[in-house]
Amino acid sequence: MPTTSRPHGPRRPLPGAEPMAGIGFELRRLSSRDEILGPVAAVAHAAIVAAGPWLYTVMAILVIGEAASPLIGEDAMATFRVLVVYVFSLSLVGTSPVAMVGTRVLADSLYRRQYEDVRSVFVLTLLAASAATAILSCLVFVLLLRVPADVAFAGIAGVQIVSMVWVGLAFCGAVRDYLQVTLAFVTGLLAGVGLAVTAALHGYGPVPMVWGLAAGFMIVFLWLTARFASTFPSPCRSLAAAQAAFTARLRCSPSLAIGATAGAVSVWIDKWIIWTSGYGERVEAGLIHAPLYDGPMFIASLTVVPALALFVTSLETTFFDRYRAYFQAIDTHATLKNIRAQGRILERETTRTLANIMVVQTALCVIVVLTAPAIVEAVGLQFRQIGILRMGTVGALFQYLFMSCSALLIFFDATRVYATLQLIFLGSLAALTVLVSQFEPGSLGTGYMLACIVSGFASLFALLKVLGSIDYRVFVGSATQARPV
């Protein structure tokens, strides 16, 4: 089997870690302020950085639902909600592998100080993401579901626009201006909600409302792009170099794209399976969903947001300090004893930070599980959905553990381990969801919960193993890690 090896010897800090680290340092300065608003603002900004499009979609659905339901009726509102969910899910699945590789190529360019290539990488990533999402959305809306032309056109265009936002957000990590990222999403959200509600006021129906929301996403993309372009002013004269860098990165570590694809699909695979089971229902436009499962799982997924924000503020600061200190010890030719000491500090700091965030997330999980009947009643769900909400919340706790450990594995360039874990999670979640879809409605969340628990612990053990062998991976394993899968 042909191999593409790196030179033997110690490696510098992985360039893939650089872009987000700047955001972490800025957030740390906010969180260290004495006044109470400082830490609150840091967590709020981190939530936008970690899950901006997701939070945008959630807030838009909630606000527009309250404002527009009395105007257009529940059936039309259901069509709007389901179409927005389709747009969000397809954009994530189509964009994730492209954005993962693109940001890694960007990090390589920044690490080598080849700033003249940055815009080319950005443009090529946008084009590749646009092509991938166009093919995927056409396949779903036109060939599989065969929805009306206006619904298909709005859905395909919406997927394209949201995919551009995913790319813009990923690349704006290099800008290190989290305030502009937050302002972009707030402005776009206000505009999108305003346009969608205006469309409802004039009786235009769900499709024009989706166009209004998509216009808000376009504002976010243009804002992020302008901020990125002002930071890297070198013009894009040719895509040849960026294309060569993409090809080289894919050839060097194809598992990165494979893992990102599997990870994105796993976010939605359980929903897609339940939609196509006996629990699925069709809205007026022909789109399939399963409100019995979607409602409680939607609420359960929101419980992960605080942990994701803490991951950005805590892990991306203290972890990266220790991470860089370890590699600086290597670069400055420190003694083996000192290098190993820095490695153990890095291991302890990483596990401590993970444990602290898991404590917070566990407390939130317990609160939601205990108050599930009150939550179900408050949001208008059915009593039989309490069990799904509880199991979804427990599953979300371990899915956060899985996501955070997976992200750290990429920091250590353990892309094969990362891809393997994503594939295991995807396969186990799909199999268990198919199994539980044959049982009573109250057990629908069991498959998701069990898959998350197993995958969460598997990712933790994998991370601990990588941390425990970091010296070997740096000094010996670097020559073999890049072999094609």
Side-chain angles (χ1 to χ4, degrees):
M1 180 181 297
T3 61
T4 303
S5 301
R6 294 176 182 151
H8 289 274
R11 293 177 295 162
R12 295 178 182 272
L14 299 173
E18 293 287 350
M20 287 299 295
I23 293 176
F25 296 142
E26 295 293 332
L27 292 177
R28 180 173 55 191
R29 283 197 284 269
L30 251 185
S31 61
S32 62
R33 291 181 181 176
D34 292 334
E35 63 268 22
I36 191 173
L37 292 181
V40 173
V43 173
H45 287 307
I48 298 295
V49 170
W54 180 25
L55 293 177
Y56 181 110
T57 303
V58 169
M59 294 301 299
I61 289 177
L62 292 177
V63 175
I64 295 172
E66 289 295 323
S69 288
L71 302 173
I72 64 173
E74 188 54 41
D75 290 340
M77 195 64 220
T79 298
F80 168 80
R81 282 195 298 264
V82 175
L83 183 54
V84 171
V85 170
Y86 270 73
V87 166
F88 179 79
S89 63
L90 294 176
S91 68
L92 177 63
V93 172
T95 306
S96 289
V98 178
M100 177 69 80
V101 177
T103 51
R104 193 59 182 266
V105 174
L106 168 70
D108 292 341
S109 298
L110 295 178
Y111 183 72
R112 301 187 184 103
R113 302 187 183 277
Q114 296 172 340
Y115 302 120
E116 67 279 2
D117 296 336
V118 168
R119 281 199 185 184
S120 299
V121 175
F122 179 61
V123 172
L124 185 61
T125 305
L126 282 175
L127 293 175
S130 179
T133 52
I135 294 172
L136 180 62
S137 57
C138 287
L139 176 66
V140 172
F141 289 119
V142 178
L143 297 180
L144 293 182
L145 298 178
R146 299 183 180 181
V147 298
D150 60 335
V151 176
F153 187 49
I156 294 169
V159 171
Q160 294 282 291
I161 294 171
V162 178
S163 72
M164 293 190 298
V165 174
W166 282 115
V167 174
L169 179 62
F171 274 71
C172 272
V175 175
R176 304 181 178 184
D177 192 345
Y178 64 90
L179 178 59
Q180 292 299 318
V181 173
T182 301
L183 289 176
F185 276 98
V186 171
T187 304
L189 177 62
L190 292 175
V193 169
L195 290 171
V197 173
T198 300
L201 283 172
H202 289 82
Y204 290 143
V207 173
M209 290 171 62
V210 171
W211 280 110
L213 189 61
F217 268 114
M218 179 59 74
I219 291 174
V220 177
F221 168 71
L222 293 175
W223 192 312
L224 295 177
T225 301
R227 188 69 189 89
F228 181 80
S230 65
T231 304
F232 300 100
S234 298
C236 173
R237 294 189 174 90
S238 173
L239 299 180
Q243 185 176 357
F246 260 79
T247 303
R249 173 52 64 182
L250 282 172
R251 188 176 299 150
C252 175
S253 53
S255 52
L256 197 64
I258 294 172
T261 303
V265 172
S266 65
V267 174
W268 291 97
I269 190 65
D270 58 319
K271 286 81 172 174
W272 294 340
I273 291 173
I274 298 298
W275 292 353
T276 56
S277 71
Y279 295 103
E281 301 177 9
R282 284 187 181 269
V283 297
E284 291 180 345
L287 299 171
I288 306 173
H289 70 140
L292 181 66
Y293 184 76
D294 297 344
M297 294 302 292
F298 173 78
I299 297 173
S301 66
L302 291 178
T303 62
V304 181
V305 174
L308 290 176
L310 290 174
F311 180 84
V312 175
T313 54
S314 299
L315 202 56
E316 294 271 357
T317 55
T318 54
F319 164 78
F320 193 77
D321 278 346
R322 300 304 182 187
Y323 180 90
R324 189 163 58 176
Y326 173 75
F327 283 97
Q328 282 181 342
I330 297 174
D331 287 343
T332 56
H333 306 288
T335 64
L336 180 59
K337 180 180 179 180
N338 188 26
I339 292 173
R340 286 179 171 173
Q342 291 294 337
R344 302 293 79 76
I345 293 174
L346 172 60
E347 180 180 1
R348 288 197 303 269
E349 188 63 40
T350 302
T351 54
R352 184 191 67 82
T353 304
L354 277 175
N356 289 343
I357 299 177
M358 281 297 292
V359 168
V360 175
Q361 184 65 17
T362 301
L364 178 60
C365 174
V366 171
I367 292 173
V368 173
V369 168
L370 293 178
T371 60
I375 294 175
V376 165
E377 183 178 359
V379 299
L381 297 179
Q382 303 174 31
F383 179 78
R384 60 179 178 166
Q385 293 175 294
I386 293 177
I388 301 176
L389 174 60
R390 284 172 168 164
M391 287 183 284
T393 303
V394 174
L397 167 66
F398 288 94
Q399 188 174 20
Y400 161 73
L401 177 63
F402 176 74
M403 290 188 297
S404 58
C405 291
S406 297
L408 287 169
L409 288 171
I410 297 177
F411 262 93
F412 292 105
D413 209 22
T415 55
R416 286 188 177 184
V417 180
Y418 162 76
T420 301
L421 288 170
Q422 304 304 313
L423 291 171
I424 290 174
F425 181 47
L426 174 60
S428 61
L429 180 57
L432 288 171
T433 303
V434 170
L435 178 64
V436 301
S437 66
Q438 312 301 318
F439 301 147
E440 293 297 319
S443 63
L444 287 181
T446 308
Y448 169 77
M449 181 183 68
L450 293 177
C452 288
I453 292 174
V454 172
S455 300
F457 280 116
S459 64
L460 178 60
F461 293 148
L463 176 62
L464 293 177
K465 183 177 180 180
V466 168
L467 287 172
S469 61
I470 184 173
D471 296 330
Y472 174 85
R473 296 182 63 83
V474 170
F475 288 97
V476 181
S478 61
T480 60
Q481 288 174 4
R483 290 178 180 172
V485 175

